[in-house]
Amino acid sequence: MAHDHTQVREFFGARAAGWDTRFPDDGPAYAAAVADLGLRPGGAVLDAGCGTGRALAPLRAAVGPQGTVLGADLTPEMLAEAVRAGRGRIGRLLLADVGRLPLRPRSLDAVFGAGLISHLPRPTENLRELARVVRTGGRLALFHPLGRAALAARQGRRITDDDLRAESRLRPLLADSGWRLESYTDEDSRFLALAVRQD
């Protein structure tokens, strides 16, 4: 997908109404990825590029009623679907660019990003912005319910050397952005890269 906010909004805006029905069985994969993020009760977490908010319920369960759950997305139609699904009661929804978040520095314990990395227009700068709002030692989860090969097959394409999710590309990208890659899983049934915010 072209790295342009207008095209991203158009792509997801046109698909928002039926988005959740296209992927009805992803709930357990989201819950497992959130569990691996290691959130604690009372923590503060952002779902970056939250879409219809499918991660908000497991994020809320992880931080509990005293925690803070935020969901940020560029696409108004996606956020409208999140509200329609009742997810606006689970966390606070923000119409925002994850490259310019309306959040204080070091105000979060973690960021969760499902399918996010391939839609970042300036990956290094955008990941630095995510690092800005996370405390030292906080965590980042880059997740997809399909691994790279399975996703490429579904989309009728091949994995290329410029895929940002390849470990050889992702590790230095994260390091240049204030993160240290801690674990990397790329299986047919799941992609999950976990990173820690460096000082």
Side-chain angles (χ1 to χ4, degrees), residues 30 34 39 45-48 50-63 68-72 79 82-83 86-94 112:
Y30 273 77
V34 168
L39 294 166
V45 61
L46 169 69
D47 183 1
C50 67
T52 61
R54 292 184 293 162
L56 296 181
L59 291 170
R60 171 58 69 198
V63 300
T68 300
V69 176
L70 305 172
L79 294 176
V83 170
R87 295 172 183 144
R89 296 188 299 271
I90 298 170
R92 182 173 170 217
L93 299 173
L94 307 170
F112 183 85

Side-chain angles (χ1 to χ4, degrees), residues 43 45 72 86 95-96 103 109 139 142 154 169 189:
V45 61
L95 180 62
L103 301 172
D109 297 298
R139 292 165 64 84
L142 297 173
R154 177 189 278 183
R169 294 225 38 218
S189 61

Side-chain angles (χ1 to χ4, degrees), residues 37 48 109-113 116 127 130 134 138-142 174 179 192-197:
L37 189 51
D109 297 298
V111 173
F112 183 85
L116 177 69
L127 289 168
L130 296 180
V134 173
R139 292 165 64 84
L140 169 69
L142 297 173
L174 288 167
W179 301 95
L192 182 65
L194 294 171
V196 176
R197 169 73 166 91

Side-chain angles (χ1 to χ4, degrees), residues 146-149 159 165-166 184-188 190-192:
L146 292 176
R148 294 168 58 234
I159 296 176
R165 292 162 297 182
Y184 181 89
T185 304
D186 183 15
E187 302 164 345
D188 279 352
R190 157 164 139 146
F191 175 88
L192 182 65

